[in-house]
Each structure stands twice: as structure tokens, then as C-alpha cells.
Amino acid sequence: MPWDEAVAPTLTSNAGEKPLPDQATERASAGAAVLQYPLAGAWVVTARGAYDMDSITPLAEALGTAVGKHPKTILDASCVTFADSAFLNLLILTHQAGTLRVVAPSQQVRRLCEITGVDHLLEIRGTIDEAAAS
């Protein structure tokens, strides 16, 4: 397998890291989607879209698997358009289970963390590279 294919991000539907079929990718991009890839010994999970009780499962599975298998998990939250208590709870549980860095949270996520005080608990970084190095 060429190097660029081995490290290319893969859109996944679950923590099993299986690519979604073409039709599922289109449906996932309309709501919530999860992108995952390795980086410098860490595992990066990129969350895109809206996360609530009905859409949190793929992200929860991805973060749970990542924390269990990798010394550091990085969550890129810059493309999260909506997050509620289910998302917040997932961040707290993932933080408690292993090493989590949250990168560039969207304004909505940043506000949710500030209002609840979780911003003092989580390690928030500006960039993925900064999170991987810390």
C-alpha cells in the first residue's frame, strides 16, 4: 500500500474503522460525521456536524476505541455545529478514560464548555500539531 493511502484520513461510521459506502457518506455529511487518522503516535478524531443523543454514537465509539488503543487522543472539534449535554458528557468520559486533547473547538462547543466549567478540566489546544506535541 502506498504511504499516502496508509495515512490518509478515512471517513468511518464506527470505531471499527470501516469506510462508509458512498450513499452512507452522503447521509452522514448532512448530519454528523467522524473522520479518523493517526498522527505522530496519537489518534486524531475529527467531528463534523451536530451532536446530540441521537447522533453521538459514532463519535462515542471512535473516541472510546481511540482512548483504549492509543496513548493520546486528539478531538478536532472545529467543525461541530451543534453540541448538547450528550457531547459534553462524552468529552468528560473520554478525558477520564485517557489522554484527550480538544482542538480548536467551534464557538458553540467553546461556549458550552465555558458555561459548564469543563474548559478548566479539558486540555484545549489551538491546532492539531500543537495537540500532538503536548
Side-chain angles (χ1 to χ4, degrees):
M1 174 183 301
W3 179 85
D4 58 345
E5 287 179 17
V7 297
T10 303
L11 186 62
T12 58
S13 61
N14 58 39
E17 302 171 21
K18 296 176 186 169
L20 290 167
D22 289 338
Q23 295 106 348
T25 302
E26 291 172 18
R27 283 193 306 270
S29 64
V34 177
L35 185 71
Q36 309 181 57
Y37 58 95
L39 177 70
W43 192 254
V44 180
V45 177
T46 300
R48 295 182 176 165
Y51 289 93
D52 59 19
M53 187 173 75
D54 293 327
S55 61
I56 199 76
T57 302
L59 181 58
E61 290 173 350
L63 289 173
T65 299
V67 163
K69 290 184 177 180
H70 303 280
K72 186 184 304 178
T73 300
I74 299 168
L75 173 63
D76 178 354
S78 62
C79 295
V80 174
T81 57
F82 174 81
D84 68 2
S85 61
F87 184 86
L88 187 64
N89 187 49
L90 176 59
L91 292 181
I92 294 167
L93 292 173
T94 304
H95 168 76
Q96 291 173 339
T99 303
L100 174 67
R101 304 287 189 268
V102 179
V103 172
S106 65
Q107 184 60 34
Q108 203 276 336
V109 171
R110 184 174 299 278
R111 184 72 179 131
L112 179 64
C113 290
E114 288 171 356
I115 288 171
T116 59
V118 173
D119 59 332
H120 296 293
L121 172 70
L122 299 175
E123 295 193 39
I124 299 174
R125 302 291 188 260
T127 67
I128 292 173
D129 290 335
E130 182 184 334
S134 66

